[in-house]
Amino acid sequence: MLDYAKYLLSPVLLATSAYGLWLGGPHAWLGFGLLIGILLFDAFLEPDHSLRDARFPWLYDLIVSVQLVMGFAMILFYAWLVGQGHFDSTSSKIGGFVTMMFTQFVIVAPALHEMFHRENLFHRWLGRIGMVMIFDPWREITHVVTHHIHTVTPDDPDYARRGENLYRHLAKTFAGQIAESYHLERRMWTKRERAWFDPRNAWVWRVGILVAFVGLLWLIGGGYGALAGVGVCLLGPRILLEIFNYTQHYGLVTATPGRFEPRHTWNHLTPFVRLLALEITNHAGHHEDSYKPFYELVPDRTGPKQPQFLICLLLAFVPPLWFLMIREKLHHWDRHYATPQEREIAEAENIRAGWSDLNERPTLAQARFAVAP
């Protein structure tokens, strides 16, 4: 049972962050400082391949549910503090905002992701409502349907192809997710002969809970509080989540679209990242069975791995540094993980990206794809 106590780290960090916000002044940075300190320390640790104790699932579910509710309470609390003019200096205003951005991204976003994948109705709805905190209540539509089916193919808006930098990806993924969710929803309401504005359509009631969330922020924190709360959600969990998504399947290819294999994702298995992300960074296991609770995910000891989570996140902001790291990883993936068919696809992708030097025989590959239809 003590194994579950590890997951209490996240609720403790949320409570500490809230206390720092309440104290105000320089203490507003407390949550951010603690979180970054833990992640930096984690960057020097070896991967953790241990399995979690799965004998008391109710205990894990309780901790994750509390964590999600605490995240919701924190955003309301923050909006109230802003509305009260609690942060009286520029430093404390920035500190409170940055603390909220990172705690909501690193600690709260994994909890709502865990919950909206669940088959249990209570947990699934908790996750669905929680999606307002990433200001994207439609995410479940494209994530569960499109992302998990079309992983590592250009049909998946979350997927970044070789040579694609972060900023191009962000523009593409936001537009792609909106278009895909509209397409999927339109098919559904058309099949059921409903009008597009029928409140039974998922996109309609999801708009409703988002409007209710913003209204609640406004009621508690006034205009400034609501603005700050929405800003945290958009610049924190929403944008940062897409940046992490950018790294998750970067440049990998498949010869079997629609059939996931563990080699089709990168993993981040350092100890504290696993705990804070509730094990979702055992990423291959999540794609093998997206309904499996995250604590049951088995770390892929031999699967493709990237550098630690925070390092990847920071590198992604600087495309030359990101490419310097990921090109070497992809070079290794092509030779050690790819099937012969995937190696051919990877060669074509390298040529398309202008990375022909990654191919084993660049001249031969260039000639082969130059005459390909």
Side-chain angles (χ1 to χ4, degrees), residues 4-62:
Y4 293 91
K6 297 173 183 173
Y7 296 111
L8 291 174
L9 174 64
S10 291
V12 167
L13 280 173
L14 286 176
T16 307
S17 301
Y19 183 59
L21 295 177
W22 171 251
L23 291 177
H27 302 97
W29 290 89
L30 181 61
F32 174 73
L34 280 175
L35 197 51
I36 292 298
I38 290 171
L39 289 174
L40 286 175
F41 175 67
D42 178 79
F44 293 96
L45 301 179
E46 293 295 318
D48 175 11
H49 298 120
S50 62
L51 298 179
R52 298 305 187 209
D53 185 348
R55 290 176 299 166
F56 307 100
W58 63 270
L59 188 51
Y60 173 86
D61 290 346
L62 178 64

Side-chain angles (χ1 to χ4, degrees), residues 133-301:
M133 287 185 283
I134 58 171
F135 223 72
D136 185 14
W138 307 276
R139 186 171 198 82
E140 182 189 3
I141 299 170
T142 52
H143 179 82
V144 174
V145 178
T146 309
H147 176 59
H148 276 271
I149 292 176
H150 299 295
T151 308
V152 295
T153 74
D155 292 331
D156 175 14
D158 286 2
Y159 171 63
R161 299 175 72 174
R162 299 183 185 204
E164 196 168 283
N165 69 46
L166 172 66
Y167 306 101
R168 182 180 173 192
H169 173 74
L170 288 178
K172 185 199 74 174
T173 193
F174 284 125
Q177 288 178 30
I178 292 169
E180 183 66 8
S181 61
Y182 170 76
H183 172 69
L184 291 170
E185 278 293 290
R186 185 176 182 181
R187 285 179 62 186
M188 195 215 48
W189 77 58
T190 302
K191 277 185 178 178
R192 298 191 177 184
E193 299 181 342
R194 292 177 183 168
W196 62 271
F197 51 82
D198 190 309
R200 291 172 296 177
N201 296 335
W203 87 268
V204 177
W205 60 257
R206 287 172 196 270
V207 168
I209 60 173
L210 188 62
V211 170
F213 172 63
V214 175
L216 191 56
L217 289 173
W218 189 287
L219 193 66
I220 291 174
Y224 286 121
L227 194 62
V230 171
V232 161
C233 295
L234 286 175
L235 296 179
R238 184 74 180 97
I239 299 285
L240 293 175
L241 196 58
E242 296 304 343
I243 295 172
F244 189 50
N245 270 341
Y246 167 75
T247 71
Q248 287 290 275
H249 300 278
Y250 190 93
L252 302 179
V253 298
T254 176
T256 55
R259 197 178 75 204
F260 177 83
E261 298 290 345
R263 64 179 176 278
H264 294 148
T265 189
W266 301 102
N267 298 282
H268 300 84
L269 301 177
T270 46
F272 285 98
V273 165
R274 281 187 59 184
L275 288 177
L276 293 169
L278 299 172
E279 313 295 343
I280 184 56
T281 52
N282 300 328
H283 201 191
H286 176 54
H287 274 275
E288 285 183 306
D289 182 357
S290 64
Y291 292 105
K292 183 182 283 187
F294 292 178
Y295 63 85
E296 290 184 4
L297 300 179
V298 177
D300 187 358
R301 286 176 174 272

